[in-house]
Amino acid sequence: MARLIRELILGNSLLLTLLAVAGLIITLLIFQFASHRRWGLAFEKMFAIFYIFISPHVNVPPFNYLHFINLAAVNGGAVTQLPYVFYPWIVFVLCGRFIQFFKHQFVETLSFLALRNPCFLLYCFLPVISALWSLVPEVTLKAGLAFTGFTIVGFYIGARYEWSQLSGLLRWGYTAIAIVSVLRNPNVGREFAGITSHKNSLGGLMVLSTALWYLHYSQTAKTQKEKWISLLLMFFSFYLVRATSSGGSLVNSLMLIVLVSSLNFLSKLKFQWSFTFLVGFMVLGTIGSVYIVENLESIVVGGLGKDLTLTGRTEFWPQLIAAANQRPWLGYGFEGFFQQDTLGAKTPAYFIYTSIGFQPRTAHNGAISVLLSFGYPGLAMIMISLCTNLFFAVRELSRRPLAESGIPIIYLVFIILNNMTEGSIADIGDVWLAYLLVTVRLSVDSAKSASGNNRSYDRQLGASFHPD
């Protein structure tokens, strides 16, 4: 249907002209409305929700053509170039908001990020730079540019909104994915993927949606109506977690519910105990989820719907690590390893199989994905960045309301657990966007908290030298 409409429009010059004129008029009207502060903020928030909605690369036209990942297509058609039109259009209609941001926030936010989490900033340059040593330079360069564009937009959203606002944008972005998934595929059954590319992708999104709505219900919702809406959407999200038949998503969802329920307890502990508890929780949770998913047949087959070998991951992970050790310093470049179809035997991925003949196309593990792309230095950067974020997130528990400080805790725990069996941190998608938003906000908040403490100390010191 989408192809028929595209051919109809492109094949009729009069219709194409009318659409162009209509588009110009609509653009000018939106530009005029967006020039007012109130309307500009509303349009910007709608764009942020839309960006979160398309971040997992949904398969609904025309939204799937607006994701930056289309720019990574080596032999894509004209439709894959739509991001080159769409995002400049967004910049034009919201130019007042962007000008304000670059005048007042951009340099400060970037400096906070560079000072507080330098490894993250360095890591962001690797996808493009890795084209210099990639097995497929053209593929890596295109993918790296797509990654950079995707990251720049995410950086803007993260710098622009506080935790309370981000929470709302993320919740409604995920809920929109859930609602459209059900509307498009009303017969919700086993292994339900909705409008995403895979059931695990939808499962991960609904895990976060469940946790965020539960946090909103327990910490933010004031009126009875708001509490009921939060509870309803929480159960709706959890229902879709079950519908995906993803054992890992179900375990992660239950763990995050426990985590949100424990936030009050965590916030009352001293920093070192909170940090230790959180790390221990993730370690035990990882071991527990792998043990449940991999070993207990009665639970796995009957309850979680998974096989006993993590779909063969434990067979090819050692092979992938061995391949990474062949190029330990630089890796194979961004999107440069799993190129069996293009390179054949020139990439080690060509020789990696499980005992049943399955050949993986992704690493199914975040750390291994990063290791294959950028070597051990790249892996060290993302690991140091992650530990830095955990440090900042735990510290914020005692400094901010739980409705805000709980958000980065939820995301960081989820990202760690999710990337045990998925390589999502290394993809241009929703998990990378989430990690980007969390990193930007934690860096800004940490820097501002430090400067606030210094000013408070200076005032106290000044008062001691100037007694009344």
Side-chain angles (χ1 to χ4, degrees):
M1 185 65 180
R3 183 179 180 182
L4 181 63
I5 294 173
R6 187 168 65 249
E7 290 176 352
L8 178 65
I9 293 173
L10 296 178
N12 191 320
S13 58
L14 178 60
L15 182 59
L16 193 61
T17 303
L18 290 174
L19 287 174
V21 172
L24 179 61
I25 293 172
I26 292 171
T27 298
L28 292 176
L29 285 173
I30 295 176
F31 176 79
Q32 287 298 323
F33 276 110
S35 62
H36 298 283
R37 185 178 181 277
R38 187 175 177 182
W39 282 101
L41 178 60
F43 281 128
E44 186 182 72
K45 285 186 175 181
M46 284 190 288
F47 167 69
I49 293 174
F50 173 80
Y51 196 71
I52 293 164
F53 172 80
I54 67 170
S55 64
H57 195 207
V58 295
N59 54 26
V60 181
F63 307 126
N64 55 326
Y65 299 124
L66 301 178
H67 197 291
F68 273 102
I69 202 169
N70 288 285
L71 302 183
V74 177
N75 298 314
V79 73
T80 62
Q81 306 303 306
L82 278 178
Y84 284 123
V85 178
F86 177 69
Y87 292 100
W89 180 81
I90 291 293
V91 171
F92 173 74
V93 297
L94 294 175
C95 65
R97 303 284 301 174
F98 283 106
I99 290 172
Q100 183 186 42
F101 171 73
F102 280 99
K103 285 176 64 177
H104 302 292
Q105 284 183 273
F106 174 71
V107 174
E108 181 186 55
T109 304
L110 192 62
S111 63
F112 286 160
L113 185 60
L115 291 172
R116 292 286 163 173
N117 207 325
C119 285
F120 175 82
L121 198 59
L122 291 173
Y123 178 86
C124 289
F125 290 106
L126 289 179
V128 171
I129 297 173
S130 65
L132 296 174
W133 61 82
S134 172
L135 296 177
V136 278
E138 183 182 1
V139 172
T140 296
L141 182 60
K142 283 181 172 288
L145 291 174
F147 173 91
T148 302
F150 186 81
T151 300
I152 288 172
V153 176
F155 171 82
Y156 175 81
I157 295 172
R160 204 69 165 140
Y161 295 100
E162 300 285 343
W163 287 117
S164 57
Q165 298 168 309
L166 266 181
S167 176
L169 298 175
L170 290 161
R171 288 197 314 271
W172 286 112
Y174 297 155
T175 303
I177 293 172
I179 292 172
V180 175
S181 291
V182 173
L183 290 177
R184 196 176 185 217
N185 306 285
N187 298 321
V188 179
R190 288 182 61 81
E191 300 193 352
F192 182 67
I195 59 174
T196 65
S197 59
H198 194 273
K199 65 170 186 173
N200 289 344
S201 178
L202 180 65
L205 291 164
M206 292 304 100
V207 167
L208 289 169
S209 181
T210 300
L212 290 175
W213 280 115
Y214 180 41
L215 180 68
H216 183 69
Y217 165 79
S218 60
Q219 300 293 337
T220 309
K222 304 299 182 185
T223 65
Q224 199 67 25
K225 179 181 177 181
E226 194 175 0
K227 284 182 177 291
W228 276 112
I229 291 174
S230 301
L231 203 59
L232 177 65
L233 293 174
M234 171 193 162
F235 282 117
F236 175 56
S237 301
F238 187 73
Y239 164 72
L240 290 183
V241 171
R242 291 292 293 123
T244 62
S245 300
S246 171
S249 295
L250 178 58
V251 172
N252 291 345
S253 184
L254 295 174
M255 288 190 63
L256 288 187
I257 290 173
V258 172
L259 179 66
V260 174
S261 302
S262 306
L263 287 176
N264 280 313
F265 168 73
L266 279 174
S267 65
K268 295 175 183 178
L269 298 177
K270 291 183 178 181
F271 169 80
Q272 59 269 31
W273 286 110
S274 296
F275 191 84
T276 303
F277 179 89
L278 189 63
V279 172
F281 178 82
M282 288 186 292
V283 171
L284 291 176
T286 301
I287 295 172
S289 62
V290 171
Y291 179 73
I292 290 172
V293 174
E294 191 174 5
N295 295 307
L296 295 184
E297 184 170 5
S298 60
I299 296 177
V300 171
V301 178
L304 302 183
K306 295 285 284 184
D307 59 54
L308 303 182
T309 58
L310 287 173
T311 322
R313 293 178 179 91
T314 51
E315 290 188 54
F316 61 73
W317 280 342
Q319 299 178 61
L320 293 177
I321 294 173
N325 288 333
Q326 295 177 26
R327 301 182 69 167
W329 294 106
L330 298 176
Y332 295 85
F334 189 55
E335 300 292 337
F337 182 76
F338 292 100
Q339 296 292 330
Q340 301 96 311
D341 296 336
T342 303
L343 299 176
K346 293 181 181 179
T347 171
Y350 182 80
F351 302 101
I352 296 175
Y353 287 90
T354 65
S355 58
I356 61 173
F358 173 73
Q359 186 178 53
R361 300 288 171 161
T362 62
H364 291 279
N365 179 277
I368 296 175
S369 292
V370 174
L371 181 62
L372 288 168
S373 295
F374 311 121
Y376 285 98
L379 179 60
M381 288 180 193
I382 200 70
M383 294 299 289
I384 293 172
S385 169
L386 185 60
C387 291
T388 302
N389 281 332
L390 277 173
F391 176 86
F392 291 153
V394 173
R395 194 170 61 177
E396 290 298 310
L397 276 174
S398 60
R399 296 182 176 182
R400 290 179 175 273
L402 294 180
E404 298 179 10
S405 60
I407 299 169
I409 295 290
I410 288 171
Y411 271 103
L412 291 172
V413 170
F414 169 78
I415 288 169
I416 291 171
L417 295 178
N418 177 261
N419 277 273
M420 292 296 173
T421 55
E422 301 292 334
S424 51
I425 192 70
D427 295 334
I428 308 172
D430 56 286
V431 174
W432 172 252
L433 176 63
Y435 186 70
L436 169 63
L437 296 175
V438 166
T439 302
V440 172
R441 279 260 49 96
L442 284 175
S443 298
V444 171
D445 292 345
S446 175
K448 288 184 176 180
S449 295
S451 62
N453 290 338
N454 288 338
R455 284 196 296 270
S456 177
Y457 174 76
D458 290 342
R459 285 195 297 269
Q460 293 175 8
L461 193 63
S464 67
F465 282 105
H466 298 86
D468 293 332

